[in-house]
Amino acid sequence: DEGGTRAISEVTAFLMANMMADVINAGTAARARGLGFTLPAAGKTGTTNDYRDAWFVGYTKSLVSGVWVGYDTPKPILPGAAYAADVAVPLWARFMAPATAHDQPAYFSAPR
C-alpha cells in the first residue's frame, strides 16, 4: 500500500483491464495491431456524436498515453464522420510502438 485509498477491488480492476484489452485486440482500437503495436494493452475509444472530438486512452503495464483529436473552437474534425478508431488510434499506435519497443510483454494477471 502506498498510502492511497482503494477505489475498486483487485478483481474488478482485473476484469475491467481484460474487457478493455478486447478493445485493442478485437474492438474499436484493433487497428493499433495492424499499425505495429503488439504488446498486451487495454484502452477505450471515444467519439462525440457530432464528430468534433475523438480520443483514445490506452495502457500497458508500464505506460499510459492518451490522444485527443479536435479543435479548440468546436468544428467537425473531418468532412463526414471522424471516428476515434480512424483518427486517434493510429496516432496512439505510432507513439506507443516505439515508446514500448524495448518492453517485454506483460499480461494483466488475475489477483490471487
Side-chain angles (χ1 to χ4, degrees), residues 8-109:
I8 60 175
S9 72
E10 291 179 20
V11 171
T12 300
F14 171 73
L15 293 172
M16 291 300 298
N18 275 283
M19 285 191 297
M20 292 171 70
D22 285 345
V23 171
I24 291 179
N25 293 329
T28 53
R31 187 169 180 197
R33 297 295 187 210
L35 294 170
F37 182 76
T38 60
L39 289 176
K44 177 69 178 96
T45 59
T47 304
T48 56
N49 290 343
D50 55 8
Y51 309 109
R52 293 176 185 225
D53 297 280
W55 61 91
F56 179 68
V57 176
Y59 60 96
T60 66
K61 286 188 87 174
S62 63
L63 183 62
V64 177
S65 67
V67 172
W68 168 77
V69 179
Y71 293 98
D72 291 338
T73 304
K75 64 181 181 178
I77 299 166
L78 297 169
Y83 294 100
D86 299 322
V87 296
V89 170
L91 296 172
W92 182 87
R94 275 193 255 158
F95 168 76
M96 286 294 283
T100 60
H102 300 292
D103 292 357
Q104 295 299 311
Y107 295 90
F108 303 110
S109 52

